[in-house]
Amino acid sequence: MENIQTVNTMPRIGDKAPAFEAVTTQGNINFPQDYAGKWVILFSHPADFTPVCTSEFITFASMQEQFRLLNTELVGLSVDGLYSHIAWLRTIKEKIDWNGHKNIEVTFPLIEDISMKVANLYGMLQPNEATTKAVRAVFVIDPKGVIRAIIYYPLSTGRNFDEIYRLIQALQTADAFGVATPADWRPGDDVIVPTAGSCGVAKNRMMGKEGDMHCYDWFFCTKKLDKEAVLSKLVAKPAKK
Ligand code: BEZ
């Protein structure tokens, strides 16, 4: 028997991504197991055949290869049925020419969730915003199936996909280099050095610049991290033939 929670749960950062099986526009998925070893962006949209969602799907689909280079897969969800999803995605491909994008084919899976099983499991239904539609939720799940970031947007506001891309780069950089990233960080910008060790040194004897490190105060030290060094860690290498 399936072990699915039907209460409106809210997974949190650091939790294991709740498991589910679902039907999608690309066949059945067993989540997050099918994505072991990859980063995944699981995101919900309120409804098929709506304008903000259409602009989001066009944008996300046009960035899919960029995300793949970060070993990151996209999985969408709404509480619509499979035939609605298929008809909407076909309309997007055949008819919509928006913001310089046309003939956009959405090849990542879009989960059908008429029962709202998955939407409930992930806290995507937020009844004071809408009772019959998911909000615009974004769950970033790492290769071990752990939720690393969550973003929620209301129905009226399309997401910023550059920010989601930046977020994946920042999480992967934090993992690869043991650093944190400051506001608006992009690869090539200075990163934040963990304070306990290195800035303990700073507290005693250093303020200002020493080598690659710059301390603004004892609790706030940054260092350079070359864009090339970052990108070489983040960009997925093509599989060997
Ligand atoms: C939209 O995607 O345009 C939308 C969906 C649900 C409510 C409001 C707007």
Side-chain angles (χ1 to χ4, degrees):
M1 213 176 77
E2 266 184 316
N3 180 19
I4 296 295
Q5 288 167 272
T6 51
V7 289
N8 200 350
T9 50
M10 296 285 280
R12 290 164 297 192
I13 291 175
D15 291 354
K16 277 274 185 193
F20 62 85
E21 290 175 13
V23 173
T24 84
T25 49
Q26 303 291 321
N28 295 351
I29 57 170
N30 184 358
F31 195 91
Q33 200 173 304
D34 290 349
Y35 293 89
K38 292 179 186 295
W39 291 76
V40 195
I41 299 169
L42 173 66
F43 69 101
S44 57
H45 69 278
D48 299 344
F49 292 102
T50 52
V52 178
C53 301
T54 299
S55 70
E56 291 192 317
F57 265 65
I58 289 173
T59 307
F60 231 170
S62 70
M63 293 174 74
Q64 187 175 3
E65 284 313 308
Q66 254 178 278
F67 280 100
R68 283 237 163 100
L69 285 172
L70 296 180
N71 188 30
T72 302
E73 297 294 327
L74 313 177
V75 180
L77 175 148
S78 80
V79 301
D80 298 293
L82 186 62
Y83 296 109
S84 166
H85 283 345
I86 291 169
W88 178 46
L89 299 187
R90 190 187 306 137
T91 304
I92 287 176
K93 178 166 188 295
E94 292 176 357
K95 295 197 178 150
I96 309 291
D97 177 352
W98 175 77
N99 210 22
H101 299 294
K102 64 178 178 180
N103 302 123
I104 292 289
E105 192 162 1
V106 175
T107 58
F108 57 79
L110 174 50
I111 294 169
E112 73 138 27
D113 193 30
I114 288 188
S115 70
M116 302 187 179
K117 175 185 84 174
V118 182
N120 271 312
L121 192 60
Y122 274 78
M124 293 165 169
L125 290 165
Q126 303 198 356
N128 291 328
E129 174 73 349
T131 48
T132 56
K133 294 173 171 59
V135 296
R136 300 181 198 281
V138 180
F139 289 85
V140 178
I141 297 162
D142 76 11
K144 293 186 176 142
V146 174
I147 295 173
R148 298 291 298 277
I150 304 172
I151 310 174
Y152 291 109
Y153 274 60
L155 303 193
S156 60
T157 310
R159 285 161 277 209
N160 182 325
F161 292 92
D162 285 335
E163 166 57 11
I164 297 170
Y165 183 74
R166 190 194 74 89
L167 172 61
I168 301 269
Q169 288 185 314
L171 287 166
Q172 294 185 355
T173 298
D175 288 0
F177 295 95
V179 295
T181 52
D184 295 332
W185 176 88
R186 297 270 177 186
D189 293 347
D190 291 357
V191 293
I192 292 179
V193 182
T195 40
S198 42
C199 280
V201 174
K203 188 175 184 178
N204 291 333
R205 66 177 173 83
M206 196 183 82
M207 211 62 75
K209 254 177 152 21
E210 187 176 291
D212 267 357
M213 198 151 94
H214 183 104
C215 287
Y216 299 90
D217 206 327
W218 62 268
F219 60 90
F220 184 6
C221 294
T222 62
K223 69 172 184 183
K224 296 206 173 308
L225 185 55
D226 284 346
K227 187 170 186 175
E228 291 67 35
V230 171
L231 296 183
S232 70
K233 281 275 186 193
L234 306 193
V235 175
K237 311 275 181 305
K240 283 200 183 112
K241 294 217 172 111

